[in-house]
Amino acid sequence: MRSLLSSALIGAVASARSMTPMATIAAARLAKRDTPGELFLLDRPLFKYGALAMGVGELAGDKMKTAPDRTVFLGLLARVMSAGIAGAALAPQGQEKTGAALAVATAVPLAYLTLAKRKDAMARIGQTKSGLIEDALVVAAGAAVVALATR
């Protein structure tokens, strides 16, 4: 189970920011770092740069008053896809399916918890400040998980 810890942790990251797992892995690939699991998708420039752009876009869009909750259908779907791909990439070779499942199983229920905590923070300090703090924590966590899992 210890070998799948990175998959579970990247699922936790996906619970708060759906595109951050893919963006952090894309950044690692640009830095010539290899993931333990097979990941051919982000070796293609369109997907690699697209993941980075979507990660940045999500950080900006989250502060908008019209931003939907992360638990709406499309938000959960994005988390399932991103967590699954990232969880597979960070799992040991041969355990990609288990890593994907573990990341998704972590991301979906935690999305409800992270949303509740974000709403509490929004009530206390506002949408923009709470979002910026959450961004810093989630991006740092995602970068740390990916940095420790890649070589």
Side-chain angles (χ1 to χ4, degrees):
M1 188 64 176
R2 181 170 146 72
S3 62
L4 293 168
L5 181 60
S6 296
S7 295
L9 292 174
I10 206 68
V13 168
S15 75
R17 293 289 180 277
S18 62
M19 295 297 117
T20 297
M22 298 298 292
T24 54
I25 290 175
R29 292 299 248 207
L30 286 169
K32 306 289 186 222
R33 296 178 66 94
D34 290 327
T35 56
E38 294 294 322
L39 181 67
F40 301 107
L41 185 66
L42 284 178
D43 286 333
R44 297 172 193 241
L46 176 67
F47 289 103
K48 193 180 309 183
Y49 293 108
L52 288 170
M54 290 176 69
V56 170
E58 181 182 35
L59 296 177
D62 178 66
K63 300 345 157 266
M64 298 172 62
K65 298 274 186 222
T66 58
D69 285 347
R70 61 192 72 176
T71 56
V72 300
F73 175 75
L74 289 178
L76 288 176
L77 180 61
R79 278 163 180 72
V80 165
M81 292 177 7
S82 178
I85 292 168
L90 298 183
Q93 203 163 28
Q95 294 184 344
E96 291 91 349
K97 288 180 183 177
T98 304
L102 183 58
V104 170
T106 303
V108 173
L110 279 182
Y112 290 90
L113 178 64
T114 58
L115 176 61
K117 294 300 178 188
R118 173 69 186 279
K119 285 184 175 184
D120 289 346
M122 284 172 54
R124 284 185 273 122
I125 62 173
Q127 184 171 1
T128 301
K129 285 182 185 176
S130 65
L132 291 172
I133 292 168
E134 189 178 39
D135 287 347
L137 293 171
V138 171
V139 170
V145 168
V146 172
L148 291 172
T150 59
R151 47 191 187 305

